[in-house]
Amino acid sequence: MNNPFSYGGIVKGKTFCNRVSEQKDLIRAADNNEKLFIHGERRVGKTSLLKTVIQKIEKKRGICFYIDVWKCLDEDDFSRVCASAFAEYAFKEKRSVGEKLRTLFAGIAPSFSIDETGQPSVTLLRAHSNQTGPLIDEILKAPERVRAMEPDRPILVVFDEFQQIREISGSKLEKIIRSRVQEQQSVSYFFCGSRTSLLKKMFLKKGSPLYRSSGHYPIESISLNHWRPFIKAEFTTAGRVITSETITALVEATGGHPFYTQMLCSALWDITNDTVSASDLKSAVNLLLERENSAYTTLWSALPELPRKMLRAVATENPLFKPTSGKTVRTHGFASPSSSKSALTYLIDRDHVAQNKDGGYFLVDRFLGMWCRRNLTL
Ligand SMILES: Nc1ncnc2c1ncn2[C@@H]1O[C@H](COP(=O)(O)OP(=O)(O)OP(=O)(O)O)[C@@H](O)[C@H]1O
Ligand SMILES: [Mg+2]
């Protein structure tokens, strides 16, 4: 039987563990035309959750537009990606495609073709030479125009990896998005991303164009009581035996983080046959640490001295609560609170370290944490 655990791609259906209350919350938010900024650390399962929610909303005849900002390098890319996503509505409905496209993009002369993957690809020109203002401003009116054509269906626009907007345009696109989104009272918007610190700056910092424009919704790791039946079922369906104690130890090792939990389950599956023992779990962890050893060594060697000290401090304290306290400064060899603070900022900005809801700092890559504790403790 193939290894049922997968990590790296989008998971759905049988391979998607729980998230029942998150799905309910997000579907309700979409039904109520809410604007939400959704954040969670890297690989915690945001895209998989959003895609599952979209699938359920579409089943109820809702209209969803999923826009991945990650691949956009400039405003022009963003305009095209948005236009293609909105245009899909006209293509999906099949009837009066041309008329629908002209309604969605009134003021722009859209020319569409279907590319080799079956996706609509779009070229946009101004319909009138006397028009001014950015094209994207016009394109972002499309969801409201869909609303006028579909008064009774829920409409949701999802921007994934939304923080990329700041990188490609400073705050220019955020200003345009804010004014368009504000006008669209009966369309729901989800702004999702993994660079939590940057997203918080965009949505929670006074003076930022999107400041307090949406509610915020954190995506956390999956709890042990949800992982337990999921992991047990995968092993027992294949006639294998795994105890609750082993599953508990496994989920404790990964903190329930979906990517690392699937990665460890997958390694454990590969090295066992009938019965999984506690020592098999240790072997699976060792296997992963050996596999990642060269990547972690390279990462460690490439870090400047102070961030290295902070990486080790966070890994050994696990989590680190007071990064600038006299005790942390003394114990971990910093010259001052400001040098420990700038080392921490360096690691947060590069997504190596994040903060949990109790305020403690931890290493995002759970295996890097284990590797540091094993190899770097003095
Ligand atoms: N509900 C889930 N059940 C089981 N595994 C999951 C679940 N959600 C995520 N995963 C695991 O985590 C991995 C990453 O998921 P996903 O790409 O959805 O996360 P993400 O937060 O969007 O990541 P990124 O920060 O890279 O955008 C998946 O490949 C899968 O192994
Ligand atoms: Mg994602």
Side-chain angles (χ1 to χ4, degrees):
M1 189 181 170
N2 284 343
N3 191 324
F5 298 102
S6 73
Y7 52 97
I10 306 298
V11 287
K12 54 185 177 186
K14 217 176 79 55
T15 56
F16 184 86
C17 169
N18 199 270
R19 297 281 196 210
V20 173
S21 66
E22 290 92 334
Q23 291 181 52
K24 270 194 200 141
D25 290 346
L26 295 180
I27 291 171
R28 194 183 319 113
D31 283 342
N32 293 335
N33 302 319
E34 280 178 39
K35 287 33 175 195
L36 274 189
F37 117 70
I38 299 171
H39 56 95
E41 59 178 292
R42 287 234 42 217
R43 297 160 164 180
V44 79
K46 301 173 296 296
T47 304
S48 300
L49 172 62
L50 288 172
K51 296 262 174 159
T52 298
V53 163
I54 286 175
Q55 205 184 24
K56 294 204 167 161
I57 294 176
E58 286 180 338
K59 256 196 179 153
K60 297 194 304 173
R61 290 196 69 250
I63 299 170
C64 301
F65 302 109
Y66 174 82
I67 297 162
D68 188 355
V69 190
W70 181 78
K71 55 188 167 196
C72 299
L73 298 178
D74 54 27
E75 189 180 317
D76 198 39
D77 283 356
F78 182 64
S79 302
R80 273 189 289 133
V81 167
C82 290
S84 296
F86 298 143
E88 268 184 54
Y89 159 74
F91 285 95
K92 258 190 207 156
E93 297 298 311
K94 295 209 171 68
R95 277 175 298 116
S96 327
V97 175
E99 195 188 315
K100 284 204 169 87
L101 287 175
R102 280 189 295 279
T103 310
L104 289 187
F105 301 108
I108 314 173
S111 126
F112 287 87
S113 54
I114 304 287
D115 69 15
E116 61 282 1
T117 64
Q119 291 294 311
S121 91
V122 55
T123 315
L124 298 163
L125 297 167
R126 290 193 180 290
H128 310 291
S129 54
N130 60 355
Q131 280 176 333
T132 53
L135 271 184
I136 185 64
D137 199 23
E138 203 52 40
I139 293 167
L140 291 173
K141 291 177 185 165
E144 189 65 4
R145 291 171 177 160
V146 175
R147 161 61 63 233
M149 290 186 269
E150 304 279 2
D152 304 322
R153 297 170 69 181
I155 300 180
L156 168 66
V157 180
V158 176
F159 291 107
D160 203 354
E161 298 298 348
F162 185 68
Q163 70 275 343
Q164 180 76 6
I165 286 283
R166 177 71 58 110
E167 301 196 349
I168 62 182
S169 78
S171 56
K172 180 181 167 203
L173 282 171
E174 286 167 63
K175 284 187 190 136
I176 297 173
I177 291 169
R178 174 163 189 132
S179 55
R180 284 291 153 250
V181 168
Q182 257 178 349
E183 287 167 3
Q184 301 181 14
Q185 296 296 326
S186 50
V187 175
S188 177
Y189 276 84
F190 292 171
F191 306 94
C192 180
S194 46
R195 304 283 308 278
T196 303
S197 52
L198 186 51
L199 280 167
K200 282 189 174 163
K201 272 187 204 148
M202 293 166 76
F203 287 91
L204 301 178
K205 192 167 171 239
K206 255 193 183 161
S208 195
L210 289 166
Y211 174 65
R212 297 226 179 276
S213 58
S214 354
H216 81 117
Y217 191 87
I219 310 289
E220 314 278 351
S221 289
I222 296 176
S223 64
L224 172 63
N225 57 335
H226 293 143
W227 276 122
R228 196 179 278 126
F230 178 86
I231 297 172
K232 194 153 204 133
E234 295 295 8
F235 278 91
T236 47
T237 307
R240 300 183 181 200
V241 179
I242 183 165
T243 62
S244 289
E245 290 71 33
T246 304
I247 297 177
T248 304
L250 187 154
V251 175
E252 269 170 10
T254 62
H257 185 290
F259 177 87
Y260 300 106
T261 305
Q262 289 261 17
M263 192 168 159
L264 186 50
C265 284
S266 172
L268 189 58
W269 178 280
D270 282 341
I271 61 164
T272 52
N273 288 313
D274 302 336
T275 303
V276 181
S277 67
S279 72
D280 290 328
L281 179 61
K282 285 196 183 120
S283 308
V285 170
N286 290 339
L287 182 81
L288 291 177
L289 291 179
E290 269 164 41
R291 210 164 74 189
E292 300 298 319
N293 185 45
S294 113
Y296 292 154
T297 308
T298 308
L299 167 78
W300 173 255
S301 313
L303 285 177
E305 183 195 339
L306 292 178
R308 271 195 210 177
K309 285 185 174 172
M310 184 49 78
L311 192 82
R312 186 167 62 191
V314 173
T316 44
E317 302 287 338
N318 190 36
L320 172 66
F321 275 100
K322 292 190 173 148
T324 55
S325 70
K327 184 167 172 259
T328 301
V329 168
R330 271 192 315 277
T331 315
H332 298 285
F334 293 100
S336 63
S338 68
S339 70
S340 73
K341 185 157 191 253
S342 64
L344 183 70
T345 307
Y346 181 99
L347 295 174
I348 292 174
D349 285 348
R350 285 157 186 79
D351 289 328
H352 295 310
V353 168
Q355 197 171 18
N356 65 25
K357 54 177 186 287
D358 304 322
Y361 293 92
F362 63 95
L363 287 182
V364 171
D365 183 336
R366 306 315 197 259
F367 290 99
L368 175 62
M370 290 180 226
W371 181 87
C372 291
R373 286 187 286 281
R374 235 176 237 199
N375 295 292
L376 305 175
T377 313
L378 298 176

